[in-house]
Amino acid sequence: MEATQFQTMLEERGIPLSSRALAQFERYYELLVEWNEKMNLTAITDKPGVYVKHFFDSVSPAFYYDFSAPLALCDVGAGAGFPSLPLKICFPHLRVSIVDSLQKRIRFLEHLITELELADVALYHERAETFARQRGMRESFDVVTARAVARMPVLVELCLPLVKMGGTFIAMKAASAPEELREGNKAISVLGGEVTATETFTLPFDEGERTIIFIQKMRKTPNQYPRKPGTPNKQPIQ
């Protein structure tokens, strides 16, 4: 996939890209490859691969969810900025918070945000378990996203405590999504969520199946969640 194909395919889905946005995606690719030589940000570095498997994939929640409102979005375990920063480029009005536990990735994101001149992006070098217990963060976001971070029972405990009442957790998964969802059903219920939709599609050029799971926050998350760092992974709610 080249930049022009990327632009056309998004426009077909009702997401027009300005010339500024296109230039930002090009610079994003350049910086990703440059910094990847110094640290492990991604195994995918060829341009077509990055545009399909990172950029297009990151924007895909917008095919099913309306990001046109002035939303506060939190991206848990964003790594090299996926999916939140491609979404931010497409929807510049989003207020984005990124939580990642590795300082070196935060350094890359700081540089990237400066280079792309992105406003209203906050970075937090934190574990998700402790971030969700901070005053002003818990149950404060309209949308929380996570892409390829952990299996559903774990992911739900890391993310749902951050979602405000009536807000949405968007879990981006690959082909194993149905099995993971079955595993995660108890955690979703315990933490106050309800699955409102699952959307499955194939990336362009047969680059793999993806499933996006939308979970709405229906009830407040009990105060004991998330548990201390590492516990959700060792003892998932199942």
Side-chain angles (χ1 to χ4, degrees):
M1 178 183 279
E2 294 301 324
T4 51
Q5 290 174 304
F6 175 66
Q7 182 182 30
T8 300
M9 288 185 174
L10 290 188
E11 283 181 352
E12 287 170 354
R13 289 162 174 82
I15 305 168
L17 287 187
S18 65
S19 56
R20 170 180 165 79
L22 266 180
Q24 287 173 315
F25 276 115
E26 282 288 283
R27 186 66 182 134
Y28 197 154
Y29 169 72
E30 291 168 1
L31 289 167
L32 182 68
V33 171
E34 179 187 320
W35 279 64
N36 203 58
E37 293 177 1
K38 298 179 278 187
M39 63 178 72
N40 181 28
L41 292 168
T42 176
I44 303 162
T45 55
D46 65 292
K47 195 169 187 178
V50 169
Y51 265 84
V52 174
K53 295 180 182 177
H54 285 325
F55 295 164
F56 188 91
D57 188 32
S58 289
V59 179
S60 63
F63 305 161
Y64 312 103
Y65 186 91
D66 184 7
F67 284 92
S68 62
L71 301 169
L73 181 151
C74 182
D75 192 3
V76 173
F82 307 126
S84 53
L85 294 187
L87 283 167
K88 171 71 174 174
I89 292 170
C90 293
F91 303 94
H93 57 274
L94 292 177
R95 301 190 311 279
V96 173
S97 297
I98 292 176
V99 184
D100 199 276
S101 60
L102 274 186
Q103 181 63 49
K104 65 179 185 177
R105 289 199 291 250
I106 295 290
R107 282 200 305 272
F108 165 71
L109 293 171
E110 285 172 342
H111 183 73
L112 179 67
I113 289 161
T114 301
E115 284 280 315
L116 301 187
E117 299 179 345
L118 298 175
D120 290 324
V121 180
L123 302 174
Y124 298 92
H125 176 222
E126 291 266 8
R127 292 284 298 246
E129 296 97 325
T130 53
F131 184 73
R133 291 192 167 277
Q134 286 187 18
R135 185 183 298 274
M137 298 303 174
R138 186 179 183 86
E139 296 188 326
S140 69
F141 295 96
D142 300 296
V143 178
V144 176
T145 58
R147 175 180 179 263
V149 174
R151 291 185 71 80
M152 281 300 289
V154 179
L155 201 56
V156 168
E157 185 169 350
L158 301 181
C159 296
L160 260 183
L162 292 164
V163 181
K164 65 166 58 170
M165 288 295 292
T168 303
F169 168 41
I170 301 175
M172 302 173 67
K173 290 290 180 182
S176 62
E179 177 195 340
E180 285 202 40
L181 194 49
R182 285 192 295 273
E183 288 179 2
N185 275 333
K186 182 178 179 182
I188 292 167
S189 177
V190 166
L191 292 152
E194 190 174 297
V195 177
T196 54
T198 58
E199 302 287 353
T200 299
F201 67 100
T202 302
L203 287 173
F205 314 113
D206 291 324
E207 288 287 2
E209 186 176 282
R210 296 288 185 269
T211 296
I212 306 175
I213 301 166
F214 296 88
I215 300 169
Q216 189 169 5
K217 185 72 162 281
M218 310 300 282
R219 302 172 301 282
K220 288 182 73 68
T221 298
N223 288 335
Q224 67 263 41
Y225 300 107
R227 292 165 292 170
K228 65 182 183 180
T231 304
N233 211 37
K234 291 175 190 166
Q235 300 168 14
I237 304 166
Q238 282 181 288

